[in-house]
């Protein structure tokens, strides 16, 4: 988990006001406790907080590359799952690499593909790239909006960032509530209309969208959309495709230069991930996969069997970690802890979310972080991503 922020202003020399970008970057420190970095220029300032996962030494950001007298500078939060394939294409087209980070691959992919770069990416991402010659900013959001990304245009400033709280470190941005945004927050939260935030003037960049911003225009464009198609495969073909997609998806997310683990709740999602990941770990590294589960004080005493749930989660968790021979650890939480962590969990989201569900994630990952820096879960949501980075300092902050 990393964090990005940036400012573009064509009317002022913002290089002389570097304290603003530094304050914005500091506001998202918990997204990346390992390093901070800055790019300062006359009309564009960029900030980055890093949680070092891949290519610790050569993946530092902001990262700049100069080709044909044009300097391209990137700040990036995310992970590409097709780094290897992209790198091979780039090498075939004359590009050279200093390291093996996906940041370098992403930056050079943009140089090669231009604004069509997102059509070639398989991953989760929020990134911005500054072209020094054109004085143009390219900002992009992943296909499903997994990585948070917001922007604002105010008083000749184009401002972007991973978290809303960073915006309030800019003197031009005031925390004023938006009527529709706040109504959605209380009416359908944590869901919301894509693009909307609870604050006036701060918008979310919608999933599968990019922005091109320069002296002459602001252009937002959708690069992909989910389509429905008739399913015509027979049962055997369907099973083979699902099996391939699961294996491919899970194994692509197991790339890391630091300790990695999986969550194991005993449910279908986490059990499937554990099954594939544990086999991969043994075959590739000759190691057992680490798995973690969460439980609550006296949960076993208060459990009531039903047709819907005939056994506790622990019953299925035990089946899975024994079957796949993982190094398993159970984290026990108590109700008073969940209550005390409610405010920190809310701050970690920037907005109210799912109450004790969020605080349990926060406390759970605080313990998991002692053993591993990266985790895979079956949540298929932003919650685990948010909670994971917030525990780098042991306290919540989105």
């Amino acid at each position: 988990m990393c964090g990005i922020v940036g400012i573009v202003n064509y009317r002022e020399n913002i290089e002389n006001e570097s304290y603003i970008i530094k304050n914005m970057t500091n506001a998202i420190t918990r997204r990346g406790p390992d390093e901070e970095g800055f790019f300062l220029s006359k009309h564009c300032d960029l900030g980055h907080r890093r949680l070092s996962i891949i290519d610790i030494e050569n993946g530092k950001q902001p990262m700049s590359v100069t080709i044909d007298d044009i300097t391209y500078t990137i700040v990036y939060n995310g992970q590409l799952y097709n780094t290897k394939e992209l790198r091979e294409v780039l090498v075939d087209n004359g590009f050279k690499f200093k390291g093996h980070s996906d940041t370098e691959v992403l930056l050079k992919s943009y140089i090669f593909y231009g604004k069509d770069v997102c059509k070639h990416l398989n991953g989760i991402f929020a990134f911005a790239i500054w072209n020094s010659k054109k004085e143009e900013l390219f900002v992009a959001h992943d296909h499903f909006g997994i990585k948070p990304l917001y922007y604002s245009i105010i008083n000749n400033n184009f401002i972007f960032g991973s978290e809303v709280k960073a915006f309030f470190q800019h003197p031009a941005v005031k925390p004023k509530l938006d009527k529709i945004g706040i109504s959605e927050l209380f009416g359908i939260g944590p869901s919301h209309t894509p693009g909307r935030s609870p604050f006036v003037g701060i918008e979310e960049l919608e999933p599968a969208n990019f922005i091109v911003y320069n002296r002459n225009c602001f252009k937002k464009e959708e690069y992909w959309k989910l389509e429905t198609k008739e399913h015509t495969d027979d049962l055997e073909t369907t099973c083979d495709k699902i099996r391939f997609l699961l294996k491919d998806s899970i194994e692509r997310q197991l790339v890391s230069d630091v300790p990695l683990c999986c969550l194991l709740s005993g449910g279908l999602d986490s059990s499937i991930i554990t099954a594939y990941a544990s086999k991969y770990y043994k075959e590739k590294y000759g190691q057992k996969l680490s798995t973690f589960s969460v439980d609550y004080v006296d949960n076993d005493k208060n459990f009531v069997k039903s047709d819907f749930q005939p056994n506790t989660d622990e019953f299925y968790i035990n089946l899975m970690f024994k079957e796949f021979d993982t190094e398993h650890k159970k984290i026990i939480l108590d109700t008073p802890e969940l209550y005390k962590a409610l405010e920190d969990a809310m701050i970690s989201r920037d907005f109210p979310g799912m109450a004790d569900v969020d605080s349990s994630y926060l406390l759970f990952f605080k313990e998991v972080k002692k053993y591993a820096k990266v985790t895979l879960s079956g949540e298929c949501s932003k919650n685990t991503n948010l909670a994971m980075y917030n525990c780098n300092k042991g306290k919540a902050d989105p």
Side-chain angles (χ1 to χ4, degrees), residues 33-233:
D34 296 333
E35 287 182 316
E36 70 175 4
F38 302 97
F39 168 82
L40 305 175
S41 66
K42 186 175 181 179
H43 297 300
C44 176
D45 287 350
L46 304 174
H48 186 266
R49 290 297 318 193
R50 187 184 185 201
L51 181 64
S52 304
I53 303 297
I54 298 174
D55 199 352
I56 311 301
E57 192 58 36
N58 296 303
K60 299 177 185 294
Q61 297 186 50
M63 180 182 290
S64 296
V65 169
T66 300
I67 296 179
D68 297 331
D69 296 324
I70 304 174
T71 298
Y72 303 86
T73 303
I74 186 173
V75 284
Y76 160 56
N77 167 32
Q79 185 176 6
L80 298 184
Y81 305 136
N82 63 333
T83 301
K84 181 175 180 291
E85 293 90 337
L86 287 169
R87 186 187 180 105
E88 289 172 352
V89 171
L90 293 170
V91 169
D92 288 343
N93 283 275
F95 286 86
K96 297 181 180 179
F97 292 85
K98 293 181 179 179
H100 64 274
S101 74
D102 56 346
T103 305
E104 186 178 6
V105 170
L106 175 56
L107 178 55
K108 291 178 179 178
S109 293
Y110 172 76
I111 295 170
F112 182 63
Y113 290 113
K115 71 174 187 176
D116 290 331
V117 64
C118 295
K119 297 177 182 178
H120 301 271
L121 303 181
N122 176 358
I124 52 177
F125 52 83
F127 68 89
I129 297 175
W130 175 251
N131 180 318
S132 65
K133 187 172 184 178
K134 289 184 177 181
E135 292 191 322
E136 180 177 272
L137 189 72
F138 180 85
V139 185
H141 204 182
D142 62 60
H143 299 69
F144 289 99
I146 301 300
K147 293 299 183 181
L149 185 58
Y150 300 88
Y151 72 93
S152 180
I153 301 176
I154 185 169
N155 295 352
N156 302 313
N157 294 287
F158 177 87
I159 306 168
F160 70 87
S162 297
E163 300 177 9
V164 168
K165 63 169 60 62
F167 287 74
F168 301 138
Q169 297 299 318
H170 194 291
V173 182
K174 306 302 178 184
K176 182 179 179 181
L177 292 175
D178 176 78
K179 290 183 179 179
I180 297 177
I182 201 69
S183 296
E184 287 192 350
L185 183 63
F186 286 102
I188 61 174
S191 300
H192 65 279
T193 301
R196 188 175 292 281
S197 91
F199 295 98
V200 173
I202 300 177
E203 298 182 47
E204 176 189 51
L205 180 57
E206 294 93 331
N209 272 255
F210 67 78
I211 289 172
V212 175
Y213 184 73
N214 56 42
R215 290 180 180 273
N216 300 315
C217 77
F218 165 90
K219 181 182 180 182
K220 183 166 65 173
E221 185 175 319
E222 185 179 58
Y223 63 82
W224 175 86
K225 65 172 56 179
L226 189 64
E227 296 180 357
T228 59
K229 295 182 179 180
E230 183 181 0
H231 183 75
T232 58
D233 292 339

Side-chain angles (χ1 to χ4, degrees), residues 246-261:
L246 283 170
K247 183 176 185 293
D248 183 67
S249 175
I250 293 166
E251 290 185 356
R252 284 178 182 271
Q253 296 184 59
L254 293 171
V255 177
S256 174
D257 292 339
V258 297
L260 180 147
C261 68

